[in-house]
PDB file of all heavy atoms in Angstrom:
ATOM      1  N   PRO B   7     -31.898 -60.287 -31.577  1.00  0.00           N
ATOM      2  CA  PRO B   7     -31.089 -59.150 -31.695  1.00  0.00           C
ATOM      3  C   PRO B   7     -31.373 -57.981 -30.768  1.00  0.00           C
ATOM      4  O   PRO B   7     -31.742 -56.900 -31.252  1.00  0.00           O
ATOM      5  CB  PRO B   7     -31.293 -58.758 -33.238  1.00  0.00           C
ATOM      6  CG  PRO B   7     -32.690 -59.130 -33.422  1.00  0.00           C
ATOM      7  CD  PRO B   7     -32.936 -60.386 -32.601  1.00  0.00           C
ATOM      8  N   ASP B   8     -31.237 -58.187 -29.531  1.00  0.00           N
ATOM      9  CA  ASP B   8     -31.515 -57.114 -28.628  1.00  0.00           C
ATOM     10  C   ASP B   8     -30.360 -56.904 -27.561  1.00  0.00           C
ATOM     11  O   ASP B   8     -30.567 -56.407 -26.488  1.00  0.00           O
ATOM     12  CB  ASP B   8     -32.851 -57.351 -27.889  1.00  0.00           C
ATOM     13  CG  ASP B   8     -32.799 -58.606 -27.037  1.00  0.00           C
ATOM     14  OD1 ASP B   8     -31.696 -58.928 -26.492  1.00  0.00           O
ATOM     15  OD2 ASP B   8     -33.784 -59.281 -26.931  1.00  0.00           O
ATOM     16  N   THR B   9     -29.241 -57.278 -28.009  1.00  0.00           N
ATOM     17  CA  THR B   9     -28.066 -57.116 -27.059  1.00  0.00           C
ATOM     18  C   THR B   9     -27.956 -55.726 -26.570  1.00  0.00           C
ATOM     19  O   THR B   9     -27.473 -55.464 -25.460  1.00  0.00           O
ATOM     20  CB  THR B   9     -26.777 -57.577 -27.762  1.00  0.00           C
ATOM     21  OG1 THR B   9     -27.022 -58.898 -28.317  1.00  0.00           O
ATOM     22  CG2 THR B   9     -25.649 -57.692 -26.729  1.00  0.00           C
ATOM     23  N   PHE B  10     -28.276 -54.687 -27.380  1.00  0.00           N
ATOM     24  CA  PHE B  10     -28.241 -53.340 -26.903  1.00  0.00           C
ATOM     25  C   PHE B  10     -29.630 -52.790 -26.660  1.00  0.00           C
ATOM     26  O   PHE B  10     -30.600 -53.177 -27.405  1.00  0.00           O
ATOM     27  CB  PHE B  10     -27.384 -52.447 -27.779  1.00  0.00           C
ATOM     28  CG  PHE B  10     -28.050 -52.106 -29.073  1.00  0.00           C
ATOM     29  CD1 PHE B  10     -28.915 -51.035 -29.233  1.00  0.00           C
ATOM     30  CD2 PHE B  10     -27.761 -52.884 -30.203  1.00  0.00           C
ATOM     31  CE1 PHE B  10     -29.433 -50.652 -30.365  1.00  0.00           C
ATOM     32  CE2 PHE B  10     -28.390 -52.561 -31.388  1.00  0.00           C
ATOM     33  CZ  PHE B  10     -29.156 -51.485 -31.543  1.00  0.00           C
ATOM     34  N   PRO B  11     -29.779 -51.954 -25.671  1.00  0.00           N
ATOM     35  CA  PRO B  11     -31.105 -51.489 -25.196  1.00  0.00           C
ATOM     36  C   PRO B  11     -31.823 -50.697 -26.294  1.00  0.00           C
ATOM     37  O   PRO B  11     -31.251 -50.357 -27.276  1.00  0.00           O
ATOM     38  CB  PRO B  11     -30.731 -50.579 -24.022  1.00  0.00           C
ATOM     39  CG  PRO B  11     -29.340 -50.936 -23.678  1.00  0.00           C
ATOM     40  CD  PRO B  11     -28.714 -51.418 -24.842  1.00  0.00           C
ATOM     41  N   PRO B  12     -33.135 -50.376 -26.052  1.00  0.00           N
ATOM     42  CA  PRO B  12     -33.892 -49.604 -26.974  1.00  0.00           C
ATOM     43  C   PRO B  12     -33.210 -48.311 -27.285  1.00  0.00           C
ATOM     44  O   PRO B  12     -32.425 -47.777 -26.530  1.00  0.00           O
ATOM     45  CB  PRO B  12     -35.146 -49.379 -26.130  1.00  0.00           C
ATOM     46  CG  PRO B  12     -35.199 -50.415 -25.074  1.00  0.00           C
ATOM     47  CD  PRO B  12     -33.846 -50.961 -24.898  1.00  0.00           C
ATOM     48  N   ARG B  13     -33.618 -47.776 -28.409  1.00  0.00           N
ATOM     49  CA  ARG B  13     -32.970 -46.564 -28.943  1.00  0.00           C
ATOM     50  C   ARG B  13     -32.920 -45.431 -27.909  1.00  0.00           C
ATOM     51  O   ARG B  13     -31.851 -44.932 -27.685  1.00  0.00           O
ATOM     52  CB  ARG B  13     -33.728 -46.185 -30.197  1.00  0.00           C
ATOM     53  CG  ARG B  13     -32.974 -45.221 -31.040  1.00  0.00           C
ATOM     54  CD  ARG B  13     -33.408 -45.315 -32.465  1.00  0.00           C
ATOM     55  NE  ARG B  13     -33.260 -46.686 -32.986  1.00  0.00           N
ATOM     56  CZ  ARG B  13     -32.200 -46.986 -33.746  1.00  0.00           C
ATOM     57  NH1 ARG B  13     -31.325 -46.106 -34.105  1.00  0.00           N
ATOM     58  NH2 ARG B  13     -32.096 -48.245 -34.168  1.00  0.00           N
ATOM     59  N   SER B  14     -34.062 -45.066 -27.446  1.00  0.00           N
ATOM     60  CA  SER B  14     -34.113 -43.838 -26.595  1.00  0.00           C
ATOM     61  C   SER B  14     -33.339 -43.994 -25.257  1.00  0.00           C
ATOM     62  O   SER B  14     -33.035 -43.091 -24.545  1.00  0.00           O
ATOM     63  CB  SER B  14     -35.531 -43.424 -26.409  1.00  0.00           C
ATOM     64  OG  SER B  14     -36.142 -44.276 -25.495  1.00  0.00           O
ATOM     65  N   HIS B  15     -33.175 -45.346 -24.953  1.00  0.00           N
ATOM     66  CA  HIS B  15     -32.438 -45.561 -23.694  1.00  0.00           C
ATOM     67  C   HIS B  15     -31.040 -44.943 -23.809  1.00  0.00           C
ATOM     68  O   HIS B  15     -30.562 -44.144 -22.960  1.00  0.00           O
ATOM     69  CB  HIS B  15     -32.314 -47.047 -23.469  1.00  0.00           C
ATOM     70  CG  HIS B  15     -31.761 -47.496 -22.167  1.00  0.00           C
ATOM     71  ND1 HIS B  15     -30.454 -47.807 -22.048  1.00  0.00           N
ATOM     72  CD2 HIS B  15     -32.267 -47.498 -20.936  1.00  0.00           C
ATOM     73  CE1 HIS B  15     -30.207 -48.049 -20.749  1.00  0.00           C
ATOM     74  NE2 HIS B  15     -31.300 -47.866 -20.068  1.00  0.00           N
ATOM     75  N   GLU B  16     -30.374 -45.338 -24.918  1.00  0.00           N
ATOM     76  CA  GLU B  16     -28.972 -44.732 -25.108  1.00  0.00           C
ATOM     77  C   GLU B  16     -29.005 -43.285 -25.338  1.00  0.00           C
ATOM     78  O   GLU B  16     -28.167 -42.524 -24.905  1.00  0.00           O
ATOM     79  CB  GLU B  16     -28.371 -45.517 -26.262  1.00  0.00           C
ATOM     80  CG  GLU B  16     -26.829 -45.390 -26.336  1.00  0.00           C
ATOM     81  CD  GLU B  16     -26.191 -45.916 -25.004  1.00  0.00           C
ATOM     82  OE1 GLU B  16     -26.830 -46.779 -24.352  1.00  0.00           O
ATOM     83  OE2 GLU B  16     -25.100 -45.431 -24.638  1.00  0.00           O
ATOM     84  N   ALA B  17     -30.080 -42.851 -25.961  1.00  0.00           N
ATOM     85  CA  ALA B  17     -30.197 -41.381 -26.290  1.00  0.00           C
ATOM     86  C   ALA B  17     -30.276 -40.625 -24.906  1.00  0.00           C
ATOM     87  O   ALA B  17     -29.678 -39.597 -24.660  1.00  0.00           O
ATOM     88  CB  ALA B  17     -31.407 -41.080 -27.072  1.00  0.00           C
TER      89      ALA B  17
END
Side-chain angles (χ1 to χ4, degrees):
Chain B
D8 60 34
T9 310
F10 72 88
R13 195 154 301 258
S14 70
H15 187 261
E16 200 56 28

